[in-house]
Amino acid sequence: QVQLVESGGGLVQPGGSLRLSCAASRSIVSFKTMNWYRQAPGKERELVASITSSNIRNYADSVLGRFTISRDNAKNTVYLQMNSLNSEDTAVYYCNARSTWENYWGQGTLVTVSS
């Protein structure tokens, strides 16, 4: 078992930046991918960004060039740097850890982009 705790969400103005953190209760090295998902009101959960154990990164088209996912294995933490935020980025952001046999979710952190 592993617990994932997200932090860093909040209210930000359009054009602003936030950095989300996902702290795991144990090593994340064994997970094939660490992922950030988001779910906006009335919408399905969507994959925003992922990073593999080999540091291969993938992004949703909607955030490409604005968001950066990174990991610090020594701290068991994954980050999501979000720049140039707009209202469509408003959502609850969830951290996800996935391997062949395991799939864990955090409780989510709310990001609200509004003036």
Side-chain angles (χ1 to χ4, degrees):
Q1 290 283 341
V2 64
Q3 290 185 328
L4 303 174
V5 180
E6 301 99 333
S7 61
L11 175 64
V12 63
Q13 291 187 343
S17 298
L18 282 176
R19 188 175 82 153
L20 305 182
S21 299
C22 170
S25 59
R26 65 166 174 85
S27 174
I28 61 173
V29 172
S30 64
F31 293 108
K32 282 189 177 180
T33 60
M34 297 295 298
N35 311 294
W36 284 100
Y37 284 76
R38 68 185 180 187
Q39 187 166 19
K43 295 187 177 181
E44 294 186 354
R45 192 173 295 190
E46 64 172 349
L47 179 63
V48 175
S50 65
I51 185 167
T52 71
S53 55
S54 302
N55 281 329
I56 297 172
R57 297 167 172 83
N58 283 288
Y59 299 94
D61 288 344
S62 59
V63 307
L64 190 62
R66 300 187 299 122
F67 290 12
T68 302
I69 189 170
S70 61
R71 63 193 292 163
D72 186 336
N73 291 335
K75 296 182 178 180
N76 300 333
T77 301
V78 178
Y79 304 97
L80 186 68
Q81 176 66 41
M82 306 186 296
N83 299 327
S84 301
L85 287 161
N86 58 62
S87 59
E88 296 193 350
D89 297 316
T90 294
V92 177
Y93 284 72
Y94 297 92
C95 180
N96 169 253
R98 186 170 299 149
S99 66
T100 301
W101 308 110
E102 298 175 296
N103 188 25
Y104 298 104
W105 293 89
Q107 82 290 348
T109 185
L110 176 63
V111 172
T112 304
V113 183
S114 176
S115 55

